[in-house]
Amino acid sequence: MAVLIRSLRSLPLLLVSPILVLVPALAILIGDLCFALFGRRRPPSSSGQALRDGSRRVSVVIPNWNGRDLLEKYIPSVLAAVPPSHGHQVIVVDNGSTDGSAEFLKTHFPEVTVLALPENLGFGGGSNAGFRAATNDIVVLLNSDMRVQPDFLEPLINGFDGPDVFAVSCQIFFSDPKKLREETGLTQGWWENGRLRVRHQDDGAVNEAYPCFYGGGGSCAFDRAKFLELGGFDELFRPFYLEDTDLGFLAWKRGWRILYEPRSAVFHEHRGTIGRKFSPEYIQAVVKKNFLLFCWKNIHEWPRLMSNFAATWVEGVLSVVFGDAPDRTNFRALWMASLATPEALRSRWRAQQLATVGDTEAFRRPNGDYYRDRFHRLPAAPEPLRVLFVSPYPICPPIHGGAVFMYQTANELTRLCELHMIVLLDFEHEAQAHAELASRCASFEYLVRMRGSASDVTGLTPHAIDEYNSADLRWLIERQIYLKKIDVVQFEYLPMAQYAGDWRRVGSVLFEHDIYFQSIRRQIPGMNGSFKRLKAKLELLRAMRYELMTLPGVDRIQVCSPANREYLESYLPELNDRIDDDLRAGVDISHYEFRPTGREPLTMLFLGSFRHTPNVEALNWFVLEVMPHILADEPDAKLVVIGSDPPPRHSFPEGSGHIELRGFVPDVLAPLAEY
């Protein structure tokens, strides 16, 4: 019934929704054709005069609308940290308030410059007016509900370390320490499924200036000349939200940089103004509308833009069927954005004039790994070499073949280089077993991974890759490359190769413990059931596509044997000089005492984690092809199978009573000595 009611209410917009998508798309296409014929790029003119002059003076701009109580509460902290007597300037832009804010400031804080506007121009319009009125080269923009630390200013000024720095953002805390930190100042932005995605990263390990996607509009220092060159906050996004995201992306596309400075702390009474004046429903509608307008203005690569229009219509239909959701658009937002199409076209034209790099490059530059690779000065021959080792599985204790390989390799690397490690665990308690290895590393991070979802038959990415697709892991790798000044990243297993970046100077090495699509191909003949074989064949096609496209993107590939090398080269002959089959460290046999006597007779031991599909393939092959010959000569022979996630008993052929499934054991030394 709820779906029917929503559908009836949304029926008018549902019927016209194709037009709401097609009209803006066609208008943007015509506009882009006109720009290709008549448009002209404008080279950057601002070059960081404030930095060259050594200026340490700033202008603080605070937009205000009926926030007298907030000004009374927070202006004293601003004046204490940025005293006008030192040449600084504090400007409050009063957006046509009716609560006596301007008169209150003139009476109680005469050192504050009050710019009284006759009407409310919104956050963006009021901020722009303040920037135009500012007299110093660096402008610190603060919300009226922001309390600053006494020493917040110095790190912001120091962040302007080059002529191409556009903004330096503060670290944001909430006034209520019990509140979830939805905003921190450490912003991320990426393109996913036809949409811009943004979030604030809460990571206390970031203790130095770090690149970020945009500087928060109410907690950031800007180069005033650059801000005005971009045109300030775009009125397209009025009355609020995404003005700062839009400006930040435009700055990156202009070829400038934005940094987050964690040593500059401010405290925010979140939505202290907007949340009191507007309903949550209205705020959400504006946010969704502005996400659409952001794309229509800033996304100039047409494959991305087409995916945005398609995703917008699909998400609108989903909102009708399943109800509204914060992370997807709806037809109301599409309607509101469509009404702003003419203004969006004007903003898009200007954005195209200002852009000096493409969308893809602008999305990459704020990422820590890419930023280090492109903007940091890297030594030609680093000494010692800094290596980041990334494993998708627990390594300690080394109870399966892959773990034995990785444990020995990590041990050797600790002697040869400065080793940093990231290890994915299945459970929190597994971290304890890694303490001894971690003590020998320069740094050791672990992440308890989420279990992967069932394979999507319609998707193009193999399930084994989707299972390890994690925004948290991606962030951790990027952060470590930046903060630890990593020179080379060693990825273990194919699923980790998805985190190799488009690096020119940071090296990437992948150890292929097995060739994934070859493993799948070997398993198919032994599978029971047509549907199971069909799914496996689809996974094989996805795996071939993914693996053969991914491997050329890493600098070197390590394989286990010459046969593996020859198999890969038969598909990718261009990798001939980039594949190594003889570099993997061996096994330290001193950990495994050989006992020639006292073993249980007539037993064989199969040891391996069965989450690794080649082990499943190997066990099936042994049981089906080898065991019958052994049992024919020795009917009392027994196979003991040890390893996590073993296959179910019913997967073996009838009469397999000679097979004992032990499952996981915490210490493999005992069974190795017993059988």
Side-chain angles (χ1 to χ4, degrees), residues 303-326:
R304 293 182 188 271
L305 194 61
M306 292 301 293
S307 68
N308 174 254
F309 282 118
T312 297
W313 188 81
V314 170
E315 289 183 0
V317 174
L318 291 175
S319 295
V320 171
V321 176
F322 298 107
D324 212 2

Side-chain angles (χ1 to χ4, degrees), residues 195 198 237 239-242 271 280-294 326 329 333 336:
R195 284 190 56 193
V198 293
F237 300 97
F240 42 68
Y241 286 130
L242 260 76
R271 286 183 179 168
E281 293 77 18
Y282 179 75
I283 293 172
Q284 278 298 314
V286 170
V287 169
K288 292 179 180 182
K289 178 261 295 183
N290 283 349
F291 267 100
L292 291 176
L293 293 176
F294 176 95
T329 192
M336 295 169 65

Side-chain angles (χ1 to χ4, degrees), residues 248-538:
F249 190 63
L250 194 56
W252 282 109
K253 292 188 73 172
R254 191 67 166 153
W256 297 331
R257 297 183 289 135
I258 303 172
L259 300 174
Y260 159 78
E261 179 47 80
R263 291 162 290 195
S264 177
V266 298
F267 293 81
H268 191 194
E269 186 176 312
H270 189 46
R271 286 183 179 168
T273 301
I274 295 175
R276 295 185 303 177
K277 308 298 182 182
F278 301 98
S279 69
E281 293 77 18
Y282 179 75
I283 293 172
Q284 278 298 314
V286 170
V287 169
K288 292 179 180 182
K289 178 261 295 183
N290 283 349
F291 267 100
L292 291 176
L293 293 176
F294 176 95
C295 296
W296 297 359
K297 172 186 175 181
N298 293 302
I299 301 304
H300 303 153
E301 295 171 358
W302 267 90
R304 293 182 188 271
L305 194 61
M306 292 301 293
S307 68
N308 174 254
F309 282 118
T312 297
W313 188 81
V314 170
E315 289 183 0
V317 174
L318 291 175
S319 295
V320 171
V321 176
F322 298 107
D324 212 2
D327 61 343
R328 65 170 177 250
T329 192
N330 54 37
F331 287 139
R332 180 187 179 189
L334 178 58
W335 171 258
M336 295 169 65
S338 298
L339 294 177
T341 299
E343 193 173 354
L345 292 176
R346 289 192 292 271
S347 294
R348 183 179 180 87
W349 185 283
R350 178 175 174 80
Q352 288 173 310
Q353 289 180 315
L354 294 170
T356 61
V357 301
D359 300 341
T360 298
E361 178 72 7
F363 276 116
R364 287 172 174 170
R365 288 189 175 187
N367 298 331
D369 60 328
Y370 192 88
Y371 186 97
R372 167 169 167 73
D373 184 76
R374 292 301 198 270
F375 296 107
H376 279 186
R377 181 175 297 173
L378 304 186
E383 183 63 39
L385 195 71
R386 295 183 175 93
V387 176
L388 177 62
F389 189 100
V390 185
S391 166
Y393 301 118
I395 296 176
C396 301
I399 57 174
H400 58 83
V404 171
F405 270 137
M406 291 189 289
Y407 179 76
Q408 191 63 38
T409 303
N411 274 332
E412 295 300 318
L413 286 174
T414 57
R415 297 191 303 104
L416 300 171
C417 66
E418 182 182 297
L419 183 63
H420 303 262
M421 295 192 71
I422 297 176
V423 176
L424 270 64
L425 308 178
D426 294 313
F427 306 100
E428 188 86 26
H429 65 78
E430 292 174 330
Q432 300 173 1
H434 293 78
E436 183 265 340
L437 176 60
S439 68
R440 296 197 298 277
C441 297
S443 74
F444 191 96
E445 299 279 348
Y446 67 87
L447 190 68
V448 178
R449 75 179 186 93
M450 300 292 291
R451 290 289 182 180
S453 57
S455 180
D456 180 6
V457 177
T458 63
L460 293 177
T461 307
H463 173 59
I465 309 305
D466 276 337
E467 188 180 14
Y468 286 91
N469 185 4
S470 165
D472 290 335
L473 177 57
R474 186 174 300 279
W475 163 259
L476 188 55
I477 292 171
E478 292 175 0
R479 186 199 76 186
Q480 292 300 85
I481 291 175
Y482 183 91
L483 293 181
K484 304 303 180 183
K485 299 178 173 59
I486 297 300
D487 302 303
V488 179
V489 184
Q490 170 78 39
F491 294 106
E492 298 289 310
Y493 294 90
L494 177 67
M496 295 296 98
Q498 64 187 294
Y499 299 105
D502 181 22
W503 305 321
R504 295 175 183 168
R505 298 181 294 166
V506 174
S508 58
V509 182
L510 171 66
F511 183 68
E512 284 264 71
H513 288 250
D514 67 282
I515 301 170
Y516 181 53
F517 71 86
Q518 183 186 35
S519 299
I520 299 173
R521 177 173 284 159
R522 285 173 169 171
Q523 294 174 51
I524 292 175
M527 290 182 175
N528 296 320
S530 300
F531 181 70
K532 188 174 183 180
R533 284 197 297 273
L534 177 61
K535 285 185 63 177
K537 289 178 180 179
L538 290 174

